[in-house]
Amino acid sequence: MFSKSLSVSLLRFSRRLISSKLFKDPSQLFLVRSIKPRAKSKRPSSTASSALNDQVNAVSSATSYTRRSHLCGELTKENVGQEVTLCGWIQYHRFHGHFLILRDWSGIVQVVLSEKTASELDTDNLALESVMEVKGIVIPRPEGQENMNMKTGEIEIESREVELLNQCKDRIPIGLGDHLQPSKEPSRMEYRYLDLRNTFMQKNLRTRSTMVMKMREFLCNDHGFVDVETPTLFRRTPGGAKEFVVPTRQKGKFYTLPQSPQQFKQLLMVGGIDRYFQIAKCYRDESSKPDRQPEFTQVDIEMSFTTQREVQDLIEDLLQYCWPEGELTLPFPQMTYNEAMENYGTDKPDTRYDMKLVNLSESFLSSGIHSFENTLKQDTGEIIGLRIPKGTKYFSNREMNDIINSPTMHDQCEVTSIKVNDGNAWKCPFQKYLKDDTKDKVTSQLKVEANDIVVLAHGTGHNPHTALGKIRTTVANALKSKGVQIIDENKFDFLWVTDFPLFLPKEEGDGLESAHHPFTAPHPDDAELVKTHPELVRSQHYDLVLNGFEIGGGSIRIHQENLQRYVLTEVLKEKTDDLEHLLEALSYGCPPHGGIALGLDRLLAVICRTPSIRDVIAFPKAGEGQDLMSKAPASLPNSDLNLYHIQIKSS
């Protein structure tokens, strides 16, 4: 028991502490930490010279708490004369093993072995990729033997002690090292633990780690966001992508893996967390495409009392802070959904190159071409054109026909092409019906020149735009493969796309479905249309596009229970049984809120200039969600199946 006087003294001290400048707000006391800095310890050394080296040279922090003193790739002329301890993999050896190339994640360095050491190691039979520790002195390479293609090419290590830590098998199943061609992706997936040794994989994963850390710094340390982990076992969410089902021991009861923490982050706003952030694992039961994985990672953010523009400002500043290459130009340009579709034929346009679509409907009003005129008689019928500058020089008739006739290129519209020769004569299926006046108008609108190819699509709604948007992308990639660079590969073009439709016609059956998810708030100017003409309502959704890839999407959310219930039951015709917890939460004073989710995998893939997000994930899934390394998914014994009340139907 404390004495009364001691208790009074402690109370007075605590009050003085709280009222001091350091602690103006008592609610901030939980932020205080009383951590003593660890005293710097000196590495024990066996010789006086190494002790001197420890004093003179700062040891890389990446080697702390390990048996090595330096990384292979960091040694330069400045280190000459130092005694070092290196650990790594043998990438190459020559001259009967008297010269080794030792590699770790930072790079490579040449090691010189004495006759005695080479003999003891039996270097003639030493397998590449074996693990070795080398102690020695950094010396300059003999004059004329420098290799300026290596960062460490002006020095080498004169070995004093060498220890083989682990012998590798004689044959490596995949190619490793910058001097070898990468193996095919299935082999890389099967031996992923070896593939991770490749320089580009090391670079990608370390870039990812650095960006994530800087994101945490910016959001949590600088702007007061709270990093909250949300559950991965949840219940079914209506609409959206197909979810993975997790059986339980309760017969007929299942969890699902959430496709995003959408409901949880809205509930956190109800709970007053105010500013939420998470590096979130998400799941979708979809086939694996180059830019899709069944499990993926997103930078999940939600804020109370915010607006669309403020969320966009936050993301622009966040990306500026963590961007690994130079400065970004802020603010990012904006484009409405309709502008994107009309100019580029997609809601995620690559704006690094031009080739915009042009509406030619007026030019074909009295063209004499019946199929075009019939299209224009329909309510939303349009004729859209795309000009491929000097296209006849790069594409044969067969190549162009393959592009425009591909089943994936167009649906519910017709596509045809015009070839313009050296003398500006047009060659197309309808040239004998084409009036000179129509030709002149099209030439003027598209700025047609000799040797161009013009692609025309006609149909209703955005169908012709979508068809030409796909052709535009295919043509740009085909030109790139032919060595024609119309895209600046070193450029990062960001774009906000806004004013999406809130609802779209269902792909199957009658009625409407959410364009994104059912929690998106309507545009304030269209709020009155939700109950009268929901098909005309714009949303407060916004996508962030980078080089033609959607890397993020977010919205201002519906925060009123009555509006959310109306959207679900009256517009989408969804039962609310699975969402009653959320609807009830909205009725208890939910603040206005909004947020965004950045696709971390896709963002990193663009930054690292790799076509597949699998190259920025340590252990990704291959096609159809398979893990080629562990052979998952795998069958289970009947005892486990019975525990979860599962019976396998015979095919």
Side-chain angles (χ1 to χ4, degrees), residues 476-495:
N477 291 332
L479 288 172
K480 178 183 174 181
S481 69
K482 294 172 181 286
V484 182
Q485 295 297 331
I486 68 168
I487 301 175
D488 185 352
E489 298 293 340
N490 295 316
K491 191 176 182 182
F492 293 103
D493 257 20
F494 285 93
L495 173 71

Side-chain angles (χ1 to χ4, degrees), residues 276-290:
Y276 147 87
F277 154 76
Q278 182 183 187
I279 303 295
K281 275 292 180 189
C282 306
Y283 308 88
R284 288 178 183 169
D285 189 3
E286 307 181 310
S287 60
S288 191
K289 302 173 184 177

Side-chain angles (χ1 to χ4, degrees), residues 492-526:
F492 293 103
D493 257 20
F494 285 93
L495 173 71
W496 288 109
V497 180
T498 63
D499 291 356
F500 285 83
L502 185 58
F503 307 110
L504 292 172
K506 282 186 176 180
E507 291 186 4
E508 297 180 4
D510 298 328
L512 298 173
E513 61 185 7
S514 296
H516 292 93
H517 58 63
F519 314 117
T520 302
H523 193 288
D525 294 344
D526 297 347

Side-chain angles (χ1 to χ4, degrees), residues 171-198:
R171 293 182 63 84
I172 297 291
I174 63 171
L176 296 179
D178 297 339
H179 59 295
L180 297 175
Q181 283 280 67
S183 298
K184 292 183 178 180
E185 191 174 57
S187 297
R188 291 177 53 212
M189 295 296 100
E190 184 176 359
Y191 296 97
R192 189 60 161 187
Y193 45 84
L194 294 177
D195 186 51
L196 291 174
R197 296 182 191 175
N198 275 308

Side-chain angles (χ1 to χ4, degrees), residues 282-520:
C282 306
Y283 308 88
R284 288 178 183 169
D285 189 3
E286 307 181 310
S287 60
S288 191
K289 302 173 184 177
D291 60 346
R292 293 287 177 91
Q293 284 278 292
E295 52 182 332
F296 56 97
T297 308
Q298 64 186 35
V299 183
D300 208 42
I301 293 171
E302 198 80 5
M303 289 190 292
S304 293
F305 311 110
T306 192
T307 65
Q308 176 173 309
R309 183 61 253 181
E310 287 165 334
V311 174
Q312 292 170 345
D313 288 343
L314 168 72
I315 296 306
E316 290 174 5
D317 291 343
L318 169 65
L319 290 173
Q320 178 76 280
Y321 184 85
C322 69
W323 197 253
E325 300 183 18
E327 295 286 319
L328 300 177
T329 301
L330 304 182
F332 299 155
Q334 300 213 15
M335 184 182 297
T336 68
Y337 168 80
N338 280 333
E339 289 171 337
M341 292 302 298
E342 288 168 6
N343 289 313
Y344 298 98
T346 175
D347 58 6
K348 44 182 180 290
D350 188 344
T351 53
R352 290 174 297 170
Y353 63 103
D354 197 10
M355 287 177 59
K356 291 184 180 180
L357 312 186
V358 177
N359 193 319
L360 302 174
S361 298
E362 288 192 12
S363 296
F364 280 96
L365 279 174
S366 302
S367 63
I369 304 169
H370 295 304
S371 59
F372 288 1
E373 291 180 350
N374 289 337
T375 295
L376 294 176
K377 290 176 182 178
Q378 300 182 57
D379 287 342
T380 59
E382 290 184 324
I383 300 169
I384 310 300
L386 169 68
R387 171 179 167 250
I388 305 171
K390 308 304 176 188
T392 59
K393 292 186 175 182
Y394 307 118
F395 296 101
S396 66
N397 290 337
R398 180 176 179 179
E399 287 176 317
M400 205 64 225
N401 287 336
D402 287 344
I403 290 173
I404 67 174
N405 292 323
S406 169
T408 61
M409 285 302 170
H410 51 88
D411 184 29
Q412 298 180 338
C413 71
E414 294 185 30
V415 180
T416 188
S417 66
I418 302 168
K419 286 202 167 188
V420 185
N421 66 17
D422 290 332
N424 284 314
W426 288 21
K427 183 180 179 181
C428 57
F430 50 83
Q431 63 189 59
K432 65 179 180 179
Y433 306 108
L434 188 62
K435 295 178 180 179
D436 289 340
D437 180 56
T438 301
K439 179 180 173 182
D440 291 341
K441 289 178 180 177
V442 172
T443 299
S444 175
Q445 276 194 270
L446 286 176
K447 297 180 173 57
V448 178
E449 297 178 357
N451 299 310
D452 286 350
I453 293 177
V454 174
V455 185
L456 302 176
H458 61 103
T460 56
H462 279 142
N463 290 320
H465 302 84
T466 301
L468 292 188
K470 293 176 181 178
I471 291 173
R472 176 180 180 269
T473 301
T474 301
V475 166
N477 291 332
L479 288 172
K480 178 183 174 181
S481 69
K482 294 172 181 286
V484 182
Q485 295 297 331
I486 68 168
I487 301 175
D488 185 352
E489 298 293 340
N490 295 316
K491 191 176 182 182
F492 293 103
D493 257 20
F494 285 93
L495 173 71
W496 288 109
V497 180
T498 63
D499 291 356
F500 285 83
L502 185 58
F503 307 110
L504 292 172
K506 282 186 176 180
E507 291 186 4
E508 297 180 4
D510 298 328
L512 298 173
E513 61 185 7
S514 296
H516 292 93
H517 58 63
F519 314 117
T520 302

Side-chain angles (χ1 to χ4, degrees), residues 30-43:
F30 72 95
L31 295 174
V32 180
R33 296 291 182 269
S34 176
I35 301 176
K36 293 181 179 179
R38 184 189 296 273
K40 291 185 178 179
S41 59
K42 291 185 178 180
R43 187 193 310 271

